[in-house]
Amino acid sequence: PAESAPVAAPAPTENVEATITQLEKDWVDAIIKKDVATVDRLLAEEFNGTSPTAHVYPKSLATEDLTKGTYVVDSMVLDEISVNPYGDVAVAFTSQEEKSRYDGKDTSGHYHYTDVWVKKGGQWQVVASHGSRFDKGHQP
């Protein structure tokens, strides 16, 4: 009798929520430690961020601000992360409390971010990030 072809095992399903949650934590960790190599790996070349003060920053500025000490973070605590996967794209919503300075000015506060992650060549990278300051006592 003809031998049957081996049946390929289905590829393990990636837990996108867990993966992106960890990458968000890695990103925060890298900012605190000024780990430019990790930030460089996580941010796609075409990354575009919008800061809570409505400044747009490409990847080059995100890494330069850490290298030059323009952006200094004493602490950054993610208190909420939710991830919505859409195939090779995922949208993460994060909430964080930070103690920070930018260009010598105190930028400490509570912030919400929307981050768009894209899986390219088997690696997840963030392509866009938009932040808003969030005052807990203020309702729209």
Side-chain angles (χ1 to χ4, degrees):
E3 288 185 31
S4 59
V7 177
T13 306
E14 178 184 20
N15 184 336
V16 175
E17 290 95 331
T19 299
I20 299 299
T21 296
Q22 187 56 56
L23 291 174
E24 287 283 355
K25 291 176 181 176
D26 292 350
W27 190 6
V28 162
D29 225 29
I31 289 170
I32 294 168
K33 294 176 180 167
K34 296 182 176 33
D35 177 356
V36 177
T38 297
V39 172
D40 186 61
R41 177 175 50 84
L42 294 174
L43 272 57
E45 287 307 315
E46 69 274 21
F47 172 82
N48 200 348
T50 304
S51 76
T53 52
H55 288 90
V56 176
Y57 58 99
K59 177 179 181 171
S60 57
L61 189 58
T63 54
E64 191 178 288
D65 282 349
L66 286 180
T67 309
K68 290 185 172 177
T70 308
Y71 185 41
V72 178
V73 176
D74 298 319
S75 70
M76 188 181 277
V77 178
L78 286 167
D79 50 39
E80 194 180 323
I81 303 172
S82 66
V83 179
N84 296 332
Y86 305 95
D88 285 344
V89 175
V91 179
F93 301 97
T94 67
S95 172
Q96 68 192 43
E97 187 73 37
E98 68 179 67
K99 282 190 63 157
S100 59
R101 293 179 306 286
Y102 188 86
D103 209 14
K105 295 182 186 77
D106 186 1
T107 51
S108 301
H110 200 88
Y111 296 95
H112 284 188
Y113 283 89
T114 302
D115 298 330
V116 180
W117 294 82
V118 176
K119 191 173 191 179
K120 300 192 278 187
Q123 296 294 314
W124 287 97
Q125 287 188 307
V126 63
V127 295
S129 179
H130 186 275
S132 296
R133 190 176 186 95
F134 182 78
D135 296 316
K136 292 178 183 171
H138 180 73
Q139 295 297 321

